[in-house]
Amino acid sequence: MPPIYRKSKLLRRSRVIWGSFNLWRPRLVFWTGALAIGVISVGFAKLADLAQRAFTAVTQSGEWMWLLPLLLTPLGFVLSAYLAATLFPNSQGSGIPQAIAARHLHHEEDRTKLLSLRLAFGKIVLTILGLLSGASIGREGPTVQVGASFMLAVARFGGMAQAKGLILAGSAAGIAAAFNTPLAGIVFAIEEMSRTYESRANGLVLMAVILSGLAALGLSGSYNYFGTADAAPTMLRDWIVMLICGVGGGTLGATFSGLALFAGIRIRRWAQPQPLKRMLILAGFCGLAVAAIGVLSGGQTFGTGYQQARGAVEGHALPPLFFAEKLLAGFLSMISGIPGGIFAPSLSIGAGFGSTVGTLIGGSIALAAILGMAGYFAGVVQAPMTAFVIILEMTGDHQAVIPIMAVSMIGYVTSRLLSREPLYHGLSRVFIAAAIRTRRAMEKEGGEEHAH
């Protein structure tokens, strides 16, 4: 065989191999990123649980230690708000509004200000700090921002251009791994994050959820977030509970989201002259109020509220006013400016509301708690399909499928009548507007320099 022929054949083969590598590289990077999100979500969950247990252990370790939150919680809030404002801007709050806003932005630089590895690191650290301080926050919303940030970063490395679809995929993977609810991750991405069906993006979402879910299963095993429930409506009073949980939960959810959006506008105007100083004052005041509520409730309102919600799902009635105390603590934690989500606190508020309704009506506490979660959660996020699927997957209560669906729909309709704008999308407008203002200022400054 002539040397020239062998050389050309070898060259063609190397081009085929290199072409195949370039074709497969984005997929391999994407798959690695999805698996990494599952691993990070599990690690984040374990650290968050350790932080909450540490706070409980310290504040219950001595005769007068139950008063420690009056000092520890305000200091923790101030420190968290300061670090969020100075080192990790745009890490405040849930993280879901940032992911939604990033999907509406067209410039890579603008997206990076909302979703980056630096922000993901800060989000995890500051959420754990909030739980160490007794804040009424959750880790699930922050996991969405972390997942979206990580997917966007690894996609840039892999040369993938579908930014909007990748943000969607990272967000869905984060929810799926955080709750061990793969179906809810997919529904959340379609219903809440995108508000539309996108066939190309949904393929990315499905693959990301599968891979992150496999990673989470490998590390934590298969489990239901709230255990397994088998509550079902058997009497007329159970159907009355269903109606009350739907209407009442939707009303409470609309009240929470409406007040949160209104308070956000007022706080931004109030803080304008001295934003850092005034936001730190607000964080300290909110921390002190959260501590006072926690002390008065016997420590019930500190943290995510997971134990209280699980107890109610298992049939143990919560104190009658727990849901109101937890709602106030969650609201104050949200407006304080510290990073932290509202998913888990919302579920505990709904479980508390349902438990109170079940106690007053005389129905099943477990069923009432599950229906209360569905009604309140659907009222807060105005995403009934997500509420139904996520609660069904978390409780495994297949005997109450129709009641959970009905309550989610009633809660959504009630909330929609009272509050027209969904909470996460309302909050995302703040980040979109800020990005547009910054972009216009940069373009104006660039135009003036060009003119000179």
Side-chain angles (χ1 to χ4, degrees), residues 132-199:
L132 270 172
S133 308
S136 181
I137 56 175
R139 58 174 170 80
E140 294 78 16
T143 306
V144 169
Q145 189 176 12
V146 171
S149 296
F150 203 81
M151 188 59 76
L152 207 57
V154 297
R156 279 198 295 269
F157 174 75
M160 299 179 71
Q162 300 179 50
K164 291 185 178 181
L166 292 166
I167 292 169
L168 210 59
S171 301
I175 283 289
F179 282 118
N180 190 35
T181 52
L183 288 177
I186 295 168
V187 174
F188 170 80
I190 296 171
E191 184 182 35
E192 180 61 20
M193 288 293 298
S194 68
R195 295 270 164 175
T196 183
Y197 184 87
E198 302 173 21
S199 57

Side-chain angles (χ1 to χ4, degrees), residues 399-415:
Q399 295 190 55
V401 170
I402 297 300
I404 294 172
M405 289 177 69
V407 169
S408 298
M409 199 64 204
I410 294 169
Y412 163 71
V413 171
T414 303
S415 176

